[in-house]
Amino acid sequence: MSTHYNNPPQSQQQQASQTAGEAAASAVDSTARTVHYKCGDCDMDVPLKRGEPIRCRNCGHRVLYKQRTNR
């Protein structure tokens, strides 16, 4: 007996709503604020947007410290 499962075919309306949702998600990412962090190893300023990997672009270190706000 086979254990392969087939996904049921999706209607055009479901496919359209998924593409609209993906477009909205990409719009949020493109307008997302940049938060600045400081690398724990090389002290470089690392600007990150939502969804980007948490890694220093200079040395690859994965420990970043959020900078304090100046009010």
Side-chain angles (χ1 to χ4, degrees):
M1 180 176 269
S2 175
T3 59
H4 296 285
Y5 295 100
N6 292 331
N7 292 334
Q10 294 180 347
S11 69
Q12 290 179 350
Q13 183 180 12
Q14 287 175 335
Q15 290 174 350
S17 66
Q18 287 177 348
T19 56
E22 292 169 359
S26 66
V28 169
D29 290 340
S30 66
T31 60
R33 287 188 303 166
T34 302
V35 180
H36 293 271
Y37 295 89
K38 197 67 111 164
C39 176
D41 194 33
C42 68
D43 290 329
M44 181 180 170
D45 183 43
V46 181
L48 292 178
K49 290 185 181 178
R50 186 177 195 174
E52 289 185 341
I54 301 170
R55 184 171 292 247
C56 177
R57 295 183 182 127
N58 187 36
C59 67
H61 197 69
R62 297 183 70 184
V63 176
L64 302 177
Y65 296 100
K66 188 172 184 181
Q67 296 180 348
R68 293 182 175 252
T69 58
N70 299 327
R71 292 186 182 198

